[in-house]
Amino acid sequence: MKIRNINIQIEEYDHTDSLKKAEAQLLGLAQEAIKGSYAPYSEFHVGAAVLLENGEIVKGSNQENAAYPSGLCAERVAIFHAKSKYPSLKVKSIAITAASENFITRSPITPCGACRQVIAETENRQNEKIRIIMKGQEGIVQAVNGIENLLPLVFKEEQLKKSKRK
Ligand code: THU
């Protein structure tokens, strides 16, 4: 038996002022996207903004449903919208934030497991990493370059390929 340690890297910024202007703006658009959120059940409104390689920004927000699993997270709404509109354009980065009706979000809003898997697929499809920028209403900003920093040992397309049995 051996133990393998995996090194992940998370950037932390005390203020959005310390971010590059374009990234602070992307977070601002994620915050704006919250207005489109439909979250009567969780009362937790998430916004995401996706920057594409042509400079276009596509926003998304969480869309809930009385049949809970039928709803979708803000990140997937934004990515699926962007990729269905521009299938061949690369996703450069995604900014995520959220506001609750019941409390102030003070830590960065990190994507759920299913959204991480979708970000991983998008990276594989375009053969380029995606920068993920995360923030609450208050507090620090976290950013990572590539989903491997949020989803080590990701399940990938290669694992679906048959390998010959001996
Ligand atoms: N949600 C997102 O939209 N993105 C996340 O990263 C975390 C969770 C949504 C799903 C659901 O509508 C609500 O937040 C509470 O889980």
Side-chain angles (χ1 to χ4, degrees), residues 37-39 42-47 61-64 71-76 96-98 109-112 115:
S37 159
Y38 174 66
S42 70
E43 302 182 334
F44 190 76
H45 301 271
V46 187
S61 53
N62 57 328
Q63 301 296 318
E64 296 188 348
L72 202 62
C73 293
E75 297 90 321
R76 275 176 289 164
I96 309 157
T97 191
I109 306 303
T110 53
C112 78
C115 289

Side-chain angles (χ1 to χ4, degrees), residues 41-136:
Y41 307 104
S42 70
E43 302 182 334
F44 190 76
H45 301 271
V46 187
V50 165
L51 172 67
L52 295 167
E53 63 178 331
N54 67 348
E56 190 160 328
I57 290 164
V58 176
K59 292 186 283 184
S61 53
N62 57 328
Q63 301 296 318
E64 296 188 348
N65 196 285
Y68 288 6
S70 304
L72 202 62
C73 293
E75 297 90 321
R76 275 176 289 164
V77 168
I79 292 173
F80 290 157
H81 181 201
K83 293 302 290 182
S84 52
K85 197 171 175 198
Y86 300 111
S88 59
L89 286 189
K90 290 180 180 173
V91 170
K92 302 299 281 184
S93 51
I94 180 168
I96 309 157
T97 191
S100 167
E101 289 176 29
N102 307 303
F103 57 90
I104 308 261
T105 56
R106 291 196 167 86
S107 47
I109 306 303
T110 53
C112 78
C115 289
R116 291 178 199 208
Q117 188 68 36
V118 167
I119 296 169
E121 182 82 18
T122 311
E123 284 190 354
N124 279 354
R125 194 172 159 187
Q126 66 188 28
N127 201 23
E128 196 176 297
K129 290 184 196 311
I130 295 171
R131 184 164 167 82
I132 304 156
I133 306 146
M134 302 158 287
K135 196 186 175 299

Side-chain angles (χ1 to χ4, degrees), residues 117 121 124 154-162:
Q117 188 68 36
E121 182 82 18
N124 279 354
V154 60
F155 181 80
K156 286 189 194 156
E157 178 232 347
E158 292 98 88
Q159 284 163 282
L160 288 174
K161 288 181 186 152
K162 283 183 198 157

